[in-house]
Amino acid sequence: MVRSFHLVVFLAFTMSLGLSCGSSKETSSENKNFIAPGYIKKDYQKILVLAHVDPDIFRKRIERNVIEEFKEHKYKVEGSLEFFKPEMLTDSLALRDEILKRGFDAAIVLTYLGEMTGTRDTYNYNGNVYTVFYGAYPVFDLDTKATKTYYFQADFFTLQGKGTQWRSGVSAKGGQDADRAFSDMGYMLRRKMQDDKIL
């Protein structure tokens, strides 16, 4: 019971503040993800996927796409849509009871950090040709589009661990179909966790 309480307290704490303490063990990957000292990979029986976004309207899409990615690779994951409500962040006992009742022994929490906007220029041949004296020159149109990238912090909590056991950044690229963007993010998340030997 004490161990499960730790899981819930740190879930609520991280989702509301996006912070955690502890010395880090860096991975050999380019991004230097955080791995808690002493973490040992195991076979988790039921992993909660919880996206903490404000406004809450994108949570269903994010969780659904991340869950599909992990389930395709035989991980036992479920989303928070059936039970989690944002007001549970202020009631850690209700959140703890719900997590215990549903039998989760680990959780992947995705916290929205913000977005970055940029521009992309592309030149497209429009089919026309003009000539000046003896040369022929194709005509190109300039197409400028705004692009957005949405950034998330991914944390992994376990029933036995104190605080986040793994942390990394992941992102979804705007300007394309939302499901495709979140599916790509789910793929990135799974690969990072596998590469770091978290799952």
Side-chain angles (χ1 to χ4, degrees), residues 103-116:
F104 292 105
D105 60 349
I108 297 169
V109 179
L110 292 161
T111 306
Y112 175 68
L113 299 176
E115 64 188 56
M116 184 176 291

Side-chain angles (χ1 to χ4, degrees), residues 106-160:
I108 297 169
V109 179
L110 292 161
T111 306
Y112 175 68
L113 299 176
E115 64 188 56
M116 184 176 291
T117 303
T119 58
R120 184 182 65 196
D121 293 334
T122 56
Y123 293 89
N124 302 304
Y125 174 57
N126 68 11
N128 295 320
V129 176
Y130 70 91
T131 61
V132 176
F133 299 117
Y134 301 106
Y137 304 93
V139 179
F140 290 87
D141 291 331
L142 172 63
D143 184 19
T144 301
K145 290 183 179 177
T147 61
K148 284 189 178 182
T149 303
Y150 303 95
Y151 294 94
F152 293 81
Q153 174 179 294
D155 284 284
F156 185 66
F157 298 93
T158 65
L159 194 58
Q160 292 79 18

Side-chain angles (χ1 to χ4, degrees), residues 13-199:
F13 180 71
T14 300
M15 289 186 296
S16 60
L17 298 178
L19 300 171
S20 92
C21 300
S23 60
S24 68
K25 179 173 95 177
E26 293 182 344
T27 70
S28 59
S29 67
E30 188 177 303
N31 291 332
K32 304 290 185 190
N33 303 323
F34 168 84
I35 299 176
Y39 175 80
I40 298 172
K41 176 181 172 180
K42 64 173 283 189
D43 182 24
Y44 296 99
Q45 296 306 304
K46 195 174 181 184
I47 302 172
L48 171 66
V49 174
L50 194 155
H52 183 228
V53 293
D54 187 21
D56 200 43
I57 55 175
F58 294 108
R59 182 159 58 99
K60 182 176 181 180
R61 273 188 158 172
I62 294 169
E63 289 187 14
R64 184 181 70 235
N65 283 284
V66 170
I67 288 167
E68 284 176 5
E69 174 65 33
F70 278 76
K71 279 192 172 179
E72 281 179 15
H73 292 83
K74 310 302 181 201
Y75 292 106
K76 302 162 191 163
V77 294
E78 291 184 17
S80 70
L81 295 171
E82 292 181 13
F83 71 91
F84 181 82
K85 296 177 177 57
E87 53 267 23
M88 283 184 163
L89 290 174
T90 61
D91 190 350
S92 60
L93 289 177
L95 180 59
R96 176 179 70 88
D97 291 343
E98 202 61 44
I99 289 173
L100 289 175
K101 183 172 77 176
R102 293 174 182 272
F104 292 105
D105 60 349
I108 297 169
V109 179
L110 292 161
T111 306
Y112 175 68
L113 299 176
E115 64 188 56
M116 184 176 291
T117 303
T119 58
R120 184 182 65 196
D121 293 334
T122 56
Y123 293 89
N124 302 304
Y125 174 57
N126 68 11
N128 295 320
V129 176
Y130 70 91
T131 61
V132 176
F133 299 117
Y134 301 106
Y137 304 93
V139 179
F140 290 87
D141 291 331
L142 172 63
D143 184 19
T144 301
K145 290 183 179 177
T147 61
K148 284 189 178 182
T149 303
Y150 303 95
Y151 294 94
F152 293 81
Q153 174 179 294
D155 284 284
F156 185 66
F157 298 93
T158 65
L159 194 58
Q160 292 79 18
K162 293 183 179 179
T164 184
Q165 298 300 292
W166 177 83
R167 173 175 288 169
S168 181
V170 291
S171 61
K173 292 184 179 179
Q176 60 179 329
D177 175 76
D179 285 323
R180 173 64 187 272
F182 293 131
S183 177
D184 290 347
M185 186 176 78
Y187 171 80
M188 181 194 308
L189 175 61
R190 177 187 60 79
R191 285 301 305 269
K192 283 188 172 191
M193 296 185 80
Q194 288 179 330
D195 291 347
D196 286 348
K197 296 180 173 49
I198 301 302
L199 294 177

